[in-house]
C-alpha cells in the first residue's frame, strides 16, 4: 500500500463515521447520538442538533450536555428525555429542502 492509498482509506473511514447516524437511549436518562454535524442550540428543555439525516430536536427536563465530539460526530445528553423528532424541512442530505411551490416558481 502506497501513501496515496493510505490517505484515501483514512479519508474514507472518517467520512463513513460522520455519515453514519445512530441514536441509542438508555432508560430515558441517557441519549447517545452519532452522525452529528453541529449542535445548533440547547437548553435544559430542548436540544437542536444538525445530523447527517436532518435536524433533530430532543425534548425533556433537566437536560445536560454530557459529551460532544464534533470530530467523531458524537453527542451524549443526560436528563429526563420526553421525546425526539426530525425536522426534514430544514435539511435533506446537507442542503435546505424547498417546498413544491418554490420548485415550481424558480
Amino acid at each position: 500500500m502506497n501513501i496515496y492509498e493510505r490517505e484515501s482509506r483514512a479519508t474514507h473511514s472518517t467520512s463513513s463515521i460522520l455519515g453514519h447516524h445512530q441514536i441509542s437511549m438508555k432508560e430515558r436518562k441517557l441519549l447517545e447520538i452519532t452522525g452529528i454535524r453541529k449542535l445548533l442550540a440547547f437548553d435544559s428543555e430542548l436540544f437542536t442538533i444538525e445530523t447527517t439525516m436532518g435536524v433533530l430536536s430532543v425534548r425533556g427536563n433537566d437536560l445536560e450536555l454530557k459529551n460532544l465530539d464534533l470530530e467523531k460526530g458524537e453527542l451524549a445528553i443526560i436528563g429526563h428525555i420526553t421525546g425526539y423528532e426530525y425536522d426534514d424541512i430544514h435539511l435533506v442530505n446537507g442542503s435546505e429542502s424547498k417546498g413544491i411551490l418554490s420548485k415550481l416558481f424558480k
Side-chain angles (χ1 to χ4, degrees):
M1 177 182 330
N2 64 33
I3 190 167
Y4 300 110
E5 290 173 330
R6 271 188 263 144
E7 288 177 9
S8 175
R9 284 188 181 189
T11 304
H12 179 68
S13 64
T14 302
S15 65
S16 64
I17 290 171
L18 293 177
H20 181 74
H21 177 60
Q22 184 175 3
I23 295 178
S24 173
M25 187 182 319
K26 296 178 184 171
E27 298 180 5
R28 293 179 64 179
K29 295 178 183 177
L30 172 64
L31 190 68
E32 297 173 320
I33 309 166
T34 63
I36 300 299
R37 289 186 175 157
K38 288 182 195 174
L39 179 58
L40 300 173
F42 70 98
D43 60 30
S44 64
E45 295 181 349
L46 175 66
F47 274 66
T48 307
I49 307 154
E50 181 182 331
T51 73
T52 57
M53 301 301 290
V55 175
L56 175 67
S57 298
V58 178
R59 298 186 188 284
N61 300 312
D62 301 321
L63 298 179
E64 295 178 22
L65 181 64
K66 180 181 178 189
N67 180 38
L68 174 62
D69 187 339
L70 291 176
E71 288 183 15
K72 292 182 181 179
E74 299 175 344
L75 172 77
I77 301 169
I78 57 174
H80 178 71
I81 296 147
T82 58
Y84 60 89
E85 68 180 345
Y86 290 92
D87 184 2
D88 292 335
I89 294 171
H90 287 97
L91 285 180
V92 175
N93 294 329
S95 63
E96 290 195 29
S97 69
K98 297 179 180 178
I100 191 164
L101 292 177
S102 63
K103 290 178 183 177
L104 290 173
F105 299 108
K106 283 186 179 182

